[in-house]
């Protein structure tokens, strides 16, 4: 076997997300109007500068801290790394952003698919929001949290695309491999 050594590029550090600015200036990614949480969503957008896709949820959302799963499908495939962002002054509600800054992606058009798995994400963040840890541990989570899988997609099935203008190399463990689409195979 032959080892392939790729040139190492210096990755730029993504800019921090300024939710108030982006609410007005970046293009919207269409929502799936049949989604179980469509009424909770103010806007979904792509921020090429911070290399993320963000979802702004209303202040009175039924699911204010959802567990999201997102992917970009195009010349390559990438899973988004989700993080709840601190909303800036003048922005009510919750903003959750899926980051792709450390992924290995070729330039091109990518389809964005985001689904909501649970109405409340699990883990440290969920426990910090609950006033009674024992109640959280004993709750019947399946009936309260799991979203209907027939309508859990929050992005449009046909029009949710973004453009990545220049290739990205990835870093750390993300350099060991990637999924790529064969030329001529539709998205």
């Amino acid at each position: 076997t032959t080892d392939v050594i790729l040139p190492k590029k210096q990755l730029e550090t993504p800019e921090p997300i300024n939710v108030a600015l982006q609410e007005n200036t970046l293009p919207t990614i269409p929502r799936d109007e049949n989604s179980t949480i469509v009424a909770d969503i103010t806007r979904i957008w792509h921020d090429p500068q911070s290399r993320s896709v963000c979802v702004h949820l209303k202040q009175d959302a039924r699911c204010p801290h959802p567990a999201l799963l997102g992917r970009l499908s195009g010349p390559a495939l990438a899973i988004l790394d989700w993080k709840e962002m601190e909303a800036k002054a003048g922005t009510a509600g919750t903003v959750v952003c899926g980051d792709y800054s450390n992924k290995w992606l070729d330039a091109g058009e990518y389809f964005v698919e985001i689904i909501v798995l649970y109405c409340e994400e699990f883990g440290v963040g969920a426990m910090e929001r609950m006033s009674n840890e024992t109640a959280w541990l004993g709750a019947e989570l399946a009936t309260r949290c799991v979203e209907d899988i027939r309508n859990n997609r929050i992005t449009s099935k046909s029009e949710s695309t973004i453009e990545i203008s220049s290739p990205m190399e990835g870093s750390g463990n993300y350099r060991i491999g990637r999924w790529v689409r064969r030329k001529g195979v539709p998205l």
Side-chain angles (χ1 to χ4, degrees):
T1 64
T2 304
D3 290 339
V4 176
I5 299 173
L6 298 172
K8 201 171 199 174
K9 291 182 184 174
Q10 182 68 16
L11 289 178
E12 299 170 19
T13 304
E15 293 293 320
I17 295 174
N18 183 338
V19 175
L21 171 66
Q22 292 166 357
E23 280 294 307
N24 299 317
T25 60
L26 295 174
T28 299
I29 295 173
R31 299 178 296 186
D32 183 337
E33 296 302 321
N34 295 317
S35 171
T36 58
I37 68 165
V38 70
D40 291 354
I41 300 170
T42 301
R43 190 164 186 255
I44 305 170
W45 72 91
H46 173 232
D47 181 359
Q49 187 175 7
S50 69
R51 300 179 184 142
S52 61
V53 175
C54 297
V55 179
H56 183 189
L57 299 156
K58 296 176 183 174
Q59 186 169 7
D60 60 347
R62 178 180 66 85
C63 297
H65 307 284
L68 300 176
L69 180 62
R71 71 175 178 173
L72 302 178
S73 305
L77 178 66
I79 302 298
L80 299 172
D81 298 320
W82 292 96
K83 183 164 90 171
E84 194 168 303
M85 307 304 286
E86 186 175 322
K88 303 295 181 193
T91 304
T94 307
V95 176
V96 185
C97 293
D99 180 70
Y100 61 86
S101 64
N102 61 354
K103 308 299 183 188
W104 191 349
L105 298 173
D106 296 322
E109 183 178 62
Y110 285 80
F111 177 75
V112 180
E113 180 180 21
I114 304 172
I115 61 173
V116 56
L117 300 174
Y118 303 105
C119 195
E120 288 287 333
E121 59 95 3
F122 297 106
V124 176
M127 290 183 74
E128 288 172 352
R129 284 190 292 277
M130 298 279 294
S131 59
N132 182 338
E133 185 176 315
T134 306
W136 182 83
L137 293 171
E140 180 52 53
L141 300 174
T143 58
R144 286 187 22 216
C145 296
V146 178
E147 290 299 300
D148 179 357
I149 61 169
R150 294 169 293 190
N151 294 305
N152 66 346
R153 179 193 302 257
I154 67 171
T155 49
S156 167
K157 294 177 182 171
S158 60
E159 301 170 4
S160 298
T161 59
I162 63 172
E163 189 70 30
I164 294 180
S165 58
S166 60
M168 301 168 48
E169 187 177 304
S171 62
N173 291 336
Y174 292 101
R175 293 202 52 187
I176 57 178
R178 64 184 178 145
W179 290 95
V180 293
R181 180 174 51 100
R182 286 188 306 202
K183 301 241 187 264
V185 175
L187 289 177

